[in-house]
Amino acid sequence: MGKCSGRCTLVAFCCLQLVAALERQIFDFLGYQWAPILANFLHIMAVILGIFGTVQYRSRYLILYAAWLVLWVGWNAFIICFYLEVGQLSQDRDFIMTFNTSLHRSWWMENGPGCLVTPVLNSHLALEDHHVISVTGCLLDYPYIEALSSALQIFLALFGFVFACYVSKVFLEEEDSFDFIGGFDSYGYQAPQKTSHLQLQPLYTSG
C-alpha cells in the first residue's frame, strides 16, 4: 500500500511539474528567452523520464530524474537571483536569458497584470531597429512574477526529489529481494532430474 501511495504521489507531482513547465515554456517563447527555453525543454524530458521510470518500476530512471532535479533547483535559484538583481547581477547589463543575441526581456514586462505600455517617441536611448517604451501601473512587476514562477518550480522539484528517492529505494529493495530468491542460480544449482529405468535390449532376428 505504501509503495502504491508513493508511486501515485510521485506521478501526481510529475504531472504538476509537466504542466508548470509547459506553461512556463509558452511564456518564455513569447519573450524570446532562449536560455530558459532550453532549460525547460531538458526539464520536460527529465519529467517524462521520471513518469516512465515510476510506471515501469525502473529505479535507474528515477535516480537520473532526481539528479536532474538538483540541477533544476540550482537553475531556478539563479533565475530568482537574476531577476531580483542579487549581488552583481543586472538586467540592464546582462542578457543571459537571450544568450546576448537580443534585448528582449520577460514577456511579463509588457503584459503583466494592470500594466500600461506607452511608446516613447524620439528617444535618444533607442538603438537601431528598437523602440523605447514606458511601462506603468503594474500590479506586480515582472521580476517578481518570474521569481514566483521559479519559486513554484523549486517547490515542486523538492517534493519530487523526496518522493523519487523514496520510490527508487523501494524499487531497489524489491530488486535485491528477487536476487536473493534466485540466488541459487548463481551457484550452478540444478534441480534433480528424473532418470528413466527403461533399458534398451538388443533385438535378435532369425534368418
Side-chain angles (χ1 to χ4, degrees), residues 54-133:
T54 305
V55 174
Q56 297 295 325
Y57 297 89
R58 303 293 179 87
S59 58
R60 294 181 180 178
Y61 293 165
L62 289 179
I63 293 174
L64 291 176
Y65 165 70
W68 164 257
L69 289 182
V70 176
L71 300 177
W72 183 244
V73 169
W75 166 251
N76 282 276
F78 168 76
I79 291 180
I80 293 175
C81 295
F82 176 78
Y83 280 106
L84 299 182
E85 296 186 343
V86 176
Q88 300 297 324
L89 296 174
S90 174
Q91 299 182 54
D92 297 328
R93 184 185 69 250
D94 303 323
F95 297 95
I96 303 174
M97 299 303 168
T98 60
F99 290 136
N100 293 324
T101 58
S102 68
L103 300 179
H104 288 95
R105 300 293 181 86
S106 171
W107 182 82
W108 295 105
M109 178 181 181
E110 303 178 21
N111 300 276
C115 291
L116 178 62
V117 180
T118 304
V120 179
L121 303 177
N122 301 323
S123 175
H124 66 281
L125 298 176
L127 301 177
E128 185 179 357
D129 298 331
H130 289 78
H131 63 278
V132 178
I133 60 174

Side-chain angles (χ1 to χ4, degrees), residues 179-198:
D179 292 340
F180 177 77
I181 293 173
F184 291 107
D185 295 338
S186 61
Y187 292 96
Y189 175 80
Q190 295 181 356
Q193 300 178 355
K194 294 183 178 180
T195 59
S196 176
H197 297 283
L198 180 62

Side-chain angles (χ1 to χ4, degrees), residues 171-186:
F171 290 170
L172 290 174
E173 289 177 353
E174 290 186 351
E175 292 176 1
D176 292 340
S177 64
F178 289 146
D179 292 340
F180 177 77
I181 293 173
F184 291 107
D185 295 338
S186 61

